Amino acid sequence: MTHHRILRRPLLGAALLLPLPAFAQQRTETPRQTRGPFYPVAFPADTDADLVRVQGAAAQAMGTVAHLRGRVTDTAGNAVAGALVEIWQCDAQGIYRHPRAPDTDRFDTNFQGYGRTITDATGGYAFRTLRPAPYPGRTPHIHVQVTRPGGAVLVTQFYVAGEPLNAHDGLLNAIRDPRARDAVIIPFIPADRIEPRALLAQADIVLG
Ligand SMILES: [Fe+2]
């Protein structure tokens, strides 16, 4: 009997040290959006995280450079390391690199149109891309797909804060919860100290 008691006491003590989940700060989960019709059917030869410069191209893409950066976490704020982050978007003229996209023969071949990276130990990711341009029927947006090491996928879109077309965009406004909607509307701010005339967009991604 004495032996039994000795084993028990430390277990009870450990139970009292467990965190109380009710008090944890929950982060707003990044809302899901449609993948849309223009995810690449064939990846470009260059798929790195710098979409503005295509390997072997003489010039860089038309448009305003934007550094898109953030962290991928779960709703408790824990880093999701080793996640695949993919982005794709139209060029500065509003044209996608995709066989079914309107005017794709005029796509800016100096723009990669698609890029991918893997999150680091802190969940961090970074792309050099363009401030997205509008095209008929859509406010400017960047398509985003995040694949966890275990295989779970989140597809969403990032929008530009202050863009007047946001008010009339059907897909953006289909996100009914204002907090969730705000989570994908990203300020694009001048960031000349990173690169002259470039913008910085900081967008954290919260996985459920
Ligand atoms: Fe799109």
Side-chain angles (χ1 to χ4, degrees):
M1 289 306 279
T2 313
H3 180 68
H4 185 85
R5 265 192 201 148
I6 287 164
L7 273 177
R8 242 184 169 173
R9 278 203 190 109
L11 285 174
L12 286 168
L16 291 172
L17 294 174
L18 287 174
L20 300 168
F23 299 142
Q25 177 90 47
Q26 288 286 299
R27 298 190 179 197
T28 302
E29 195 176 323
T30 303
R32 295 178 180 279
Q33 292 257 272
T34 174
R35 184 178 275 107
F38 300 132
Y39 182 83
V41 286
F43 294 111
D46 185 358
T47 59
D48 72 2
D50 184 352
L51 284 71
V52 178
R53 189 164 285 283
V54 174
Q55 202 174 17
Q60 77 170 34
M62 295 182 274
T64 302
V65 172
H67 290 264
L68 174 65
R69 299 174 177 179
R71 283 181 72 222
V72 180
T73 68
D74 63 18
T75 53
N78 300 306
V80 179
L84 171 66
V85 183
E86 302 171 88
I87 63 169
W88 65 102
Q89 64 186 96
C90 62
D91 70 9
Q93 315 165 94
I95 299 172
Y96 278 95
R97 178 189 184 274
H98 191 283
R100 290 193 299 279
D103 304 313
T104 197
D105 55 319
R106 292 197 296 111
F107 180 79
D108 176 10
T109 53
N110 293 320
F111 183 50
Q112 208 167 281
Y114 167 92
R116 59 168 80 123
T117 191
I118 302 284
T119 57
D120 64 19
T122 68
Y125 75 89
F127 289 99
R128 181 171 178 258
T129 189
L130 299 177
R131 181 200 190 280
Y135 58 85
R138 288 307 312 279
T139 194
H141 59 278
I142 298 175
H143 294 268
V144 184
Q145 178 165 282
V146 182
T147 307
R148 293 182 88 127
V153 176
L154 170 79
V155 181
T156 193
Q157 301 184 22
F158 288 154
Y159 299 86
V160 181
E163 174 63 51
L165 290 169
N166 286 352
H168 308 290
D169 190 81
L171 282 176
L172 173 56
N173 292 290
I175 307 168
R176 306 307 300 178
D177 175 3
R179 281 184 63 192
R181 197 162 61 237
D182 285 349
V184 289
I185 301 176
I186 314 301
F188 282 63
I189 59 170
D192 292 80
R193 66 188 169 74
I194 299 174
E195 179 180 347
R197 294 175 303 281
L199 304 173
L200 172 63
Q202 285 183 286
D204 289 336
I205 299 167
V206 181
L207 304 179

